[in-house]
């Protein structure tokens, strides 16, 4: 199976869902996971049905159209509850004040809500497997009530109070799924740290053990010992890339598929995450198709992990890349584009280098309504060799981009580099006491965000891409305009001092707060 992440503001129409289901079947998968979070119109939560979220009617429709395909709901019933916590009626359910992404397991209103969501999905989805979430609940025992409970459990002789909190919350929910004649599934990560929580789950619980940088087999021991069935979960790495880390994704899928067969586990779920922030599902469909084929080959015992991957990247293995082969099947320009954006770009250094966390280029440019953060952290590399090389590769990729989806991803990369370069140019003029030239250097940036906004709209229309991205671009442009007017007003030294460029470009800048007290006084950043 593979899993489609709707949570980062994806807005697929019925047509897109049909396309995705057809791709799933054609690629040899037997099931499609839908990672929902707050992007499903649960009948019991009418207060949080965001624009274009998935509806029960669309699920009924695809279940009718594709009866051979198991459509598995992935809901979140504790952590990753942020879409509920940051909507007004859900705000009081949080574990921490206006922070994090976890609900409080000891609030009765939350338990009622979680049970309602579960009832909804079990009624609407026909799937045997019902995934109830459970990943990344790192905020366990942070509120006063949960903290006291955890302490109480430990004083009563339980070795791990947090494991008790987790197990006593999820165990009954898993049991509820089982009692309804279905199979409960949970993510495996929290058990690695809190293994005793497993004792609270029914033995039929299916563990989705995700390991995105190695084979899940290496850490699956605790589940095997308990006799639990496991699904190994690799990922197609888009969240930590400008587009996709192609060799690392292929390696992760292959290693997990090979080991799943070797270990005889229940199955493999190829996850995909976060196509908000200018990701685009259409551009990773060939990788999803390739992964489906790899899974089938592994199941037939015909796939081996490439030993070269143990020590190096896939660089010299291009000829044998199963992912590139699927791009080539679409056309030579697809393959060349994927090679440039998914392999060559990673060699440029700086922010393009492979890393395990969410792409800092995407985040700093668009996630915080202050694109100057991208300048703050990446200016040296972008005006240097890294920027030059990356721009060169991206400009070559623009030529090959076969359609608007691929062009959009490429243009995003180009725009990010250009914005940082323009901002640095503006900074240098500003520092020299040339506010007019500093403003002139920033002027093209307004156009950059206008263009990105159009690309976001196109992603939304073409493949049900993020509904938020175009508003992120509007926010970025507004901030650029605000900075332009500040430079016009204060760039001539009218305050008696020239605020640093870091300071004058920051959303919290206040004239005459020369010492930047808001920055020094850390807690006030709340
Ligand atoms: Zn709590």
């Amino acid at each position: 199976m593979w899993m489609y992440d709707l949570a980062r503001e994806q807005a697929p129409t019925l047509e897109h869902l049909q396309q995705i289901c057809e791709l799933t079947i054609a690629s040899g998968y037997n099931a499609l996971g839908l990672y929902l979070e707050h992007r499903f119109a649960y009948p019991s939560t009418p207060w949080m049905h965001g624009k274009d979220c998935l509806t029960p009617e669309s699920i009924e429709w695809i279940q009718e159209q594709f009866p051979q395909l198991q459509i598995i709901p992935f809901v979140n019933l504790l952590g990753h509850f942020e879409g509920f916590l940051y909507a007004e009626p859900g705000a009081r359910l949080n574990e921490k004040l206006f922070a994090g992404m976890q609900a409080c397991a000891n609030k009765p209103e939350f338990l009622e809500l979680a049970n309602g969501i579960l009832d909804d999905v079990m009624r609407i989805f026909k799937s045997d497997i019902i995934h109830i979430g459970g990943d990344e609940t790192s905020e366990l025992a942070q509120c006063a009530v949960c903290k006291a409970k955890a302490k109480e459990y430990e004083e009563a002789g339980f070795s791990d109070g947090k494991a008790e909190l987790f197990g006593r919350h999820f165990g009954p929910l898993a049991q509820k799924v089982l009692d309804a004649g279905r199979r409960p599934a949970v993510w495996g990560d929290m058990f690695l740290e809190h293994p005793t929580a497993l004792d609270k789950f029914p033995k039929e619980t299916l563990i989705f053990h995700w390991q995105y940088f190695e084979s899940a087999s290496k850490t699956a021991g605790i589940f095997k010992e308990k006799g639990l069935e496991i699904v190994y979960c690799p990922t197609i790495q888009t969240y930590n890339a400008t587009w996709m880390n192609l060799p690392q994704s292929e390696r992760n899928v292959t290693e997990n598929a090979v080991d799943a067969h070797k270990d005889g586990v229940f199955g493999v779920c190829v996850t995909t995450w976060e196509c908000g922030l200018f990701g685009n599902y259409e551009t990773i469909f060939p990788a999803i198709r390739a992964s489906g084929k790899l899974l089938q080959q592994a199941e037939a015992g015909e796939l081996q992990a490439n030993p070269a991957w143990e020590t190096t990247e896939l660089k010299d293995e291009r000829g044998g890349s199963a992912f590139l082969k699927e791009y080539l099947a679409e056309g030579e320009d697809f393959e060349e584009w994927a090679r440039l954006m998914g392999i060559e770009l990673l060699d440029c250094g700086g922010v393009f280098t492979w890393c395990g966390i969410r792409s800092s280029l995407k985040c700093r440019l668009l996630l915080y309504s202050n694109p100057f953060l991208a300048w703050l952290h990446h200016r040296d590399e972008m005006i240097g060799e890294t920027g030059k090389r990356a721009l060169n590769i991206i400009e070559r990729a623009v030529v090959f981009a076969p359609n608007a989806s691929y062009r959009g991803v490429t243009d995003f990369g180009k725009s990010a580099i250009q914005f940082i370069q323009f901002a640095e140019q503006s900074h240098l003029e500003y520092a020299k006491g040339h506010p007019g030239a500093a403003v002139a250097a920033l002027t093209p940036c307004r156009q950059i965000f206008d263009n990105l906004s159009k690309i976001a709209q196109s992603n939304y229309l073409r493949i049900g891409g993020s509904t938020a991205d175009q508003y992120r671009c509007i926010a970025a442009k507004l901030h650029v305009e605000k900075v332009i007017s500040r430079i016009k007003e204060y760039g001539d030294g009218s305050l008696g001092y020239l605020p640093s460029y870091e300071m004058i470009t920051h959303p919290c800048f206040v004239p005459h707060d020369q010492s930047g007290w808001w920055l020094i006084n850390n807690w006030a950043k709340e």
Side-chain angles (χ1 to χ4, degrees), residues 350-351 360-361 364-365 368 370-382 420 502:
V351 75
S360 48
L361 187 62
R364 285 170 175 150
L365 191 76
Y368 308 109
N370 173 18
F372 290 93
L373 282 175
W375 162 80
L376 180 66
H377 293 279
H378 304 291
R379 56 184 149 173
D380 291 340
E381 61 193 57
M382 289 308 184
I420 296 168
E502 286 83 350

Side-chain angles (χ1 to χ4, degrees), residues 93-95 103-107 139 141-147:
L93 306 176
N94 56 7
E95 180 71 3
C104 170
N106 282 302
K107 284 189 175 146
E139 292 151 40
Q142 299 226 354
C143 87
V145 177
C146 290
K147 205 181 208 167

Side-chain angles (χ1 to χ4, degrees), residues 70-85:
Q70 186 176 195
I71 310 285
I72 303 173
F74 283 60
V75 294
N76 284 76
L77 301 175
L78 188 64
H80 279 294
F81 211 66
E82 57 270 27
F84 297 82
L85 301 180

Side-chain angles (χ1 to χ4, degrees), residues 53-129:
C53 68
L54 208 59
T55 62
E57 294 72 30
S58 55
I59 294 303
E60 279 154 18
W61 184 82
I62 58 171
Q63 288 180 149
E64 256 169 53
Q65 296 293 311
F66 302 96
Q68 69 275 48
L69 196 60
Q70 186 176 195
I71 310 285
I72 303 173
F74 283 60
V75 294
N76 284 76
L77 301 175
L78 188 64
H80 279 294
F81 211 66
E82 57 270 27
F84 297 82
L85 301 180
Y86 297 126
E88 182 54 34
R92 66 184 181 280
L93 306 176
N94 56 7
E95 180 71 3
K96 284 166 82 176
L97 177 66
F98 196 46
M101 48 195 193
Q102 193 171 315
C104 170
N106 282 302
K107 284 189 175 146
E109 315 93 281
F110 167 63
L111 292 182
E112 200 182 312
L113 181 59
N115 276 287
I117 289 172
L118 200 47
D119 289 337
D120 287 343
V121 297
M122 287 201 287
R123 198 170 57 245
I124 296 158
F125 288 81
K126 291 181 183 162
S127 163
D128 172 43
I129 298 169

Side-chain angles (χ1 to χ4, degrees), residues 10 56 111 146 150 152 162 178 186 241 278 304 322 328 342 424 522:
Q10 300 297 297
L111 292 182
C146 290
E152 216 175 275
K162 287 184 183 177
L178 194 62
V186 287
F278 284 83
Q304 280 173 351
L328 185 60
E424 178 57 5
N522 218 10

Side-chain angles (χ1 to χ4, degrees), residues 242 341 352 361 391 394 408-418:
T242 312
M341 293 297 290
F352 301 104
L361 187 62
L391 210 48
I394 287 173
V409 172
T410 334
D411 283 346
F412 164 77
K414 186 174 170 178
S415 303
I417 299 170
Q418 284 180 331

